[in-house]
Amino acid sequence: MPRAVILTALPVEYLAVRTHLRGLQERKHPQGNIYEEGKFLTNGQEWEVGIAKVGAGNPSAAAETERAIAYFQPSILLFVGIAGGIKDVAIGDVVVATHVYSYESGKVEKGFSTRPKSEKSAYGLVQRADFEVTTKEWLQRLSSKPMPEPRVFVAPIVAGEKVLASKDSEIFQLLRKSYNDAIAVEMEGYGFLRAAFAYDNVQAIVIRGISDLIEGKNDGAIEPEEVRHKKASLHASAFAFQVLSKLHVSESLSATNSSPANSQSSQDELDMDTEEATAPEYAPNDSNTTSENNSELMNNNTIYVERPPIEANCYRTIMQPGALLRVKAPQMMGKTRLMYRVLDYAKEQGYETVDLSFELADSRVFQDLEKFCKWFCVFVGNELEMSNMLDDYWQDISTCNHNTTNYFRKYLLAEITQPLVLALDKVDLVFENAAICTDFCRLLRNWHDRSKRGDRYSRIWQKLRLLIVHDTDFYATLDLNSSPLASVGMPITLPEFNAKQLQDLAQQHGLTWNTAYVERLMGLVGGHPYLVESAFERIKHRDITLTQLLQNAHTAAGIYSNHLRQHLGYLQRHPELARGFRKVVTNEGSVKLDSVLTFKLQSMGLIELDGDTAKPRCELYRKYFRSRLSGYY
């Protein structure tokens, strides 16, 4: 899962950023800093986003930026907040900084002589922001349409330690004379970008909302200051999340692997030499070959490798009246692809089907059970092309679960003539929100139980077949005595691919591999679907050879660096898991762990069990984590 960090200076900025995240949890740095971390779901991708309030001023921003980078290990870094307008802009406009000048830099003799210094935002992020200006999609992230419509500028800004309140001030005259292309002024951007510059694998950008104009800064005649600050903060954060929504893992890592100059690892990754840090060009004479006839036949939406007897068991279960099928596994094991396979089978049987991903619900829905249940009912109805009839079936005196049950029994299920397979994807997002988790899980259990009661309503509930898909990674933070949906329905756990299945997958990617090549790759990553498919994609597009991939895989220059850093960051935030996993990766044989640690590390996909003992899921994990967890005892 990709990770971003957003820094702010003021509480109003922090709160504006916070509204775009769900499942927020408090994080405490060893030095005492209090952060929060939540999830941002967009375009089929889930981001982990850390947020921090760093206070005003460039020195503070620089220090706190370094600390946040070390703690969260992000690939994307944003500073989001308010600024004063110098020229061209109006209150509520957004400015994306191409670069930030430090107007404090200079030499004092009889007068002050500027020696301009500046730091640039990451080129790729600036280009993405510049494109988003033209689409105006970011306005849809605001809760209401602002009038007049705010504009977005991509331009230089300046930063210093002084609050400017007049165009007659010496500082303002200095800005107009020496930094006349800057359109806004603030106090943290230069320090922020200066600190981020030291990290080759982090891309950083500054995004500001205009809250004041230099002339009339303290004039509250039009709008009070707090209103202007809130408006500017909301606009800046909305545009920042629009930019983030259009980034993908491959984009966010481009700075890491784009050139030999950027391939030097951080100090904790010096187990590779200089040659390993450079990703050479694809070697045409390498003996793994690409099947020209097949290379463009498949894409990620059509590629599928069966893992018998899983598919047959799913098909058989979903045909049973009132079925509840639970597909669970760590992230990126192919759960969603299996879900769509089952839905396709159900359609062939003439069943109605609805697939609902909880990524489509915004954070406000997850915080209120009534909003969540109404959204759930309307979504399913819309997918069945049925009108919204909540006003006819929702009774304020009844509970949310009772109203939802009535809506399904009396309306949605009553109107259809065929069984309905309702596939719920990313249900782990529900599990992470205490405000709705317990009640919603009880609702699903109750519906499944109603189909088996043999009463007058059982027949209508037998029409409903539930397919629930969720990650198991969240088990690592769960009270194991209160696991959601435990012991209900038919559980399906996805295993890794075997050698034959992996060879089939390679062929679907247009690669003609013999057994020897398959075994070489499996020797490093096993049959983990995401790890092997990432390798096939890179090799298919001639970005890298198998030999080069195997040499660099466990380093900062390897194709798995982001995946590995995400696991490392999580372990560092949960020292008890880090200590347990260190025992596993530093021992050449299997290790016996505490049963709770064993369950949690297995749920994260980091270990596999050999009887009562544990060993690393794959050799890649052993190589990467062995040195990085050496300090955990």
Side-chain angles (χ1 to χ4, degrees):
M1 189 185 304
R3 176 174 291 120
V5 167
I6 300 178
L7 304 183
T8 64
L10 303 176
V12 65
E13 301 164 345
Y14 185 91
L15 293 174
V17 169
R18 204 174 183 271
T19 62
H20 295 271
L21 301 175
R22 66 185 55 161
L24 284 159
Q25 295 186 0
E26 183 180 298
R27 304 296 186 202
K28 186 173 182 180
H29 190 281
Q31 299 301 318
N33 299 62
I34 305 298
Y35 304 128
E36 283 189 297
E37 186 176 42
K39 288 184 169 55
F40 175 56
L41 307 169
T42 177
N43 296 328
Q45 182 166 240
E46 180 177 322
W47 285 82
E48 286 185 345
V49 180
I51 54 176
K53 184 167 70 68
V54 302
N58 284 303
S60 173
E64 295 300 334
T65 297
E66 289 198 13
R67 182 168 289 184
I69 291 174
Y71 182 77
F72 286 105
Q73 298 186 359
S75 54
I76 299 295
L77 195 64
L78 304 96
F79 203 106
V80 176
I82 63 176
I86 298 176
K87 64 175 185 177
D88 301 334
V89 295
I91 291 173
D93 288 346
V94 174
V95 179
V96 178
T98 56
H99 52 281
V100 182
Y101 296 113
S102 170
Y103 69 71
E104 306 280 0
S105 301
K107 182 178 181 180
V108 178
E109 296 176 317
K110 292 183 179 180
F112 180 73
S113 301
T114 61
R115 291 183 175 177
K117 291 183 179 180
S118 69
E119 293 292 341
K120 294 182 178 181
S121 293
Y123 176 81
L125 298 183
V126 172
Q127 292 301 304
R128 169 51 64 184
D130 194 39
F131 180 82
E132 293 305 315
V133 172
T134 62
T135 69
K136 296 188 178 182
E137 289 181 15
W138 73 276
L139 294 168
Q140 299 173 19
R141 298 185 180 276
L142 299 173
S143 59
S144 60
K145 185 176 181 179
M147 294 298 292
E149 185 176 287
R151 299 166 297 170
V152 181
F153 297 81
V154 181
I157 65 174
V158 291
E161 302 306 304
K162 301 172 180 64
V163 177
L164 301 186
S166 172
K167 289 185 176 180
D168 296 326
S169 67
E170 292 183 5
I171 294 297
F172 183 80
Q173 299 307 315
L174 171 70
L175 300 185
R176 295 306 304 267
K177 177 181 178 181
S178 302
Y179 308 96
N180 58 15
D181 59 340
I183 67 173
V185 58
E186 41 98 309
M187 300 178 67
E188 298 84 27
Y190 177 80
F192 164 77
L193 290 177
R194 183 68 179 169
F197 177 75
Y199 295 84
D200 291 335
N201 60 339
V202 176
Q203 297 184 64
I205 193 168
V206 175
I207 299 176
R208 296 285 186 172
I210 300 300
S211 61
D212 309 277
L213 304 178
I214 299 305
E215 192 64 43
K217 180 177 178 66
N218 299 314
D219 184 1
I222 300 177
E223 287 181 315
E225 181 180 71
E226 60 269 23
V227 173
R228 289 183 275 117
H229 284 196
K230 182 177 180 180
K231 176 194 295 184
S233 299
L234 291 171
H235 291 184
S237 62
F239 190 80
F241 277 95
Q242 178 64 22
V243 171
L244 190 61
S245 74
K246 295 303 179 72
L247 302 180
H248 299 282
V249 175
S250 58
E251 292 181 53
S252 64
L253 290 176
S254 61
T256 306
N257 298 325
S258 58
S259 68
N262 287 334
S263 61
Q264 183 178 353
S265 68
S266 58
Q267 188 64 37
D268 67 340
E269 293 176 329
L270 294 180
D271 57 337
M272 64 176 184
D273 56 30
T274 305
E275 289 74 23
E276 287 180 316
T278 303
E281 294 181 352
Y282 183 88
N285 61 350
D286 196 305
S287 59
N288 62 78
T289 60
T290 302
S291 169
E292 299 297 336
N293 293 330
N294 294 333
S295 61
E296 301 301 327
L297 288 179
M298 293 292 184
N299 57 46
N300 285 338
N301 294 322
T302 58
I303 289 175
Y304 189 83
V305 175
E306 290 196 350
R307 287 175 265 193
I310 286 176
E311 287 78 12
N313 289 341
C314 289
Y315 301 156
R316 184 170 55 252
T317 300
I318 212 68
M319 296 292 290
Q320 298 173 5
L324 191 152
L325 183 64
R326 287 190 296 125
V327 179
K328 58 178 184 172
Q331 293 184 43
M332 299 177 289
M333 287 292 291
K335 300 181 295 296
T336 300
R337 290 189 190 181
L338 173 61
M339 180 190 82
Y340 283 117
R341 200 78 167 182
V342 175
L343 288 175
D344 287 343
Y345 178 81
K347 291 174 185 176
E348 293 173 359
Q349 314 310 309
Y351 288 8
E352 299 278 2
T353 64
V354 171
D355 62 279
L356 185 162
S357 171
F358 287 106
E359 288 180 327
L360 297 174
D362 60 37
S363 55
R364 291 170 296 180
V365 169
F366 282 114
Q367 301 306 314
D368 186 304
L369 181 62
E370 183 173 4
K371 284 183 180 179
F372 177 84
C373 288
K374 287 182 174 180
W375 171 83
F376 179 69
C377 289
V378 171
F379 185 100
V380 176
N382 287 343
E383 292 298 299
L384 293 170
E385 299 184 349
M386 297 171 66
S387 300
N388 177 357
M389 301 291 286
L390 283 178
D391 289 343
D392 293 344
Y393 293 96
W394 206 269
Q395 300 177 349
D396 292 339
I397 197 171
S398 295
T399 65
C400 294
N401 279 4
H402 185 264
N403 281 328
T404 306
T405 299
N406 277 345
Y407 194 76
F408 268 74
R409 178 176 62 83
K410 294 182 178 181
Y411 178 45
L412 297 182
L413 294 177
E415 292 291 323
I416 60 176
T417 58
Q418 297 297 320
L420 167 65
V421 177
L422 176 56
L424 307 178
D425 197 10
K426 289 290 183 181
V427 180
D428 40 289
L429 298 177
V430 175
F431 297 159
E432 294 169 0
N433 287 274
I436 62 171
C437 173
T438 301
D439 289 313
F440 186 65
C441 289
R442 285 174 179 167
L443 179 71
L444 299 181
R445 282 176 176 270
N446 180 263
W447 289 356
H448 177 57
D449 290 341
R450 282 171 178 260
S451 70
K452 299 181 291 185
R453 289 179 182 175
D455 60 22
R456 60 176 176 159
Y457 295 131
S458 292
R459 185 176 296 276
I460 199 163
W461 287 108
Q462 288 173 0
K463 285 185 182 181
L464 181 64
R465 320 292 166 85
L466 291 169
L467 172 52
I468 297 172
V469 180
H470 66 82
D471 294 340
T472 57
D473 302 65
F474 79 98
Y475 287 170
T477 57
L478 193 66
D479 177 0
L480 300 187
N481 295 316
S482 59
S483 177
L485 296 176
S487 305
V488 61
M490 169 68 75
I492 298 290
T493 301
L494 293 184
E496 292 188 347
F497 292 133
N498 59 34
K500 183 178 180 181
Q501 292 162 349
L502 196 151
Q503 197 162 9
D504 180 10
L505 184 62
Q507 186 173 5
Q508 292 190 46
H509 277 275
L511 296 171
T512 304
W513 274 24
N514 58 31
T515 304
Y517 272 95
V518 169
E519 290 177 349
R520 286 179 65 192
L521 181 60
M522 291 191 74
L524 180 70
V525 301
H528 190 294
Y530 167 75
L531 299 180
V532 297
E533 195 155 21
S534 296
F536 292 156
E537 282 291 320
R538 294 294 296 273
I539 292 171
K540 178 177 70 175
H541 292 295
R542 299 178 179 264
D543 294 333
I544 196 171
T545 66
L546 176 60
T547 299
Q548 294 158 0
L549 185 151
L550 296 177
Q551 289 173 344
N552 294 334
H554 67 290
T555 71
I559 70 170
Y560 303 122
S561 58
N562 197 53
H563 171 79
L564 295 168
R565 282 202 314 273
Q566 289 161 13
H567 276 307
L568 178 61
Y570 191 89
L571 290 170
Q572 289 174 334
R573 294 191 296 277
H574 297 85
E576 74 285 359
L577 297 179
R579 286 191 290 269
F581 194 45
R582 184 199 66 82
K583 294 179 182 178
V584 175
V585 297
T586 55
N587 195 305
E588 292 303 321
S590 298
V591 177
K592 188 172 179 61
L593 297 175
D594 170 84
S595 59
V596 174
L597 281 179
T598 299
F599 175 78
K600 291 185 174 184
L601 290 172
Q602 185 186 26
S603 298
M604 292 173 64
L606 291 176
I607 63 172
E608 61 179 20
L609 298 183
D610 182 10
D612 292 332
T613 58
K615 60 182 180 180
R617 179 73 171 266
C618 59
E619 188 62 21
L620 173 67
Y621 290 169
R622 185 191 299 279
K623 287 184 175 182
Y624 180 82
F625 290 105
R626 185 161 44 198
S627 61
R628 290 160 181 82
L629 297 180
S630 58
Y632 290 86
Y633 291 94

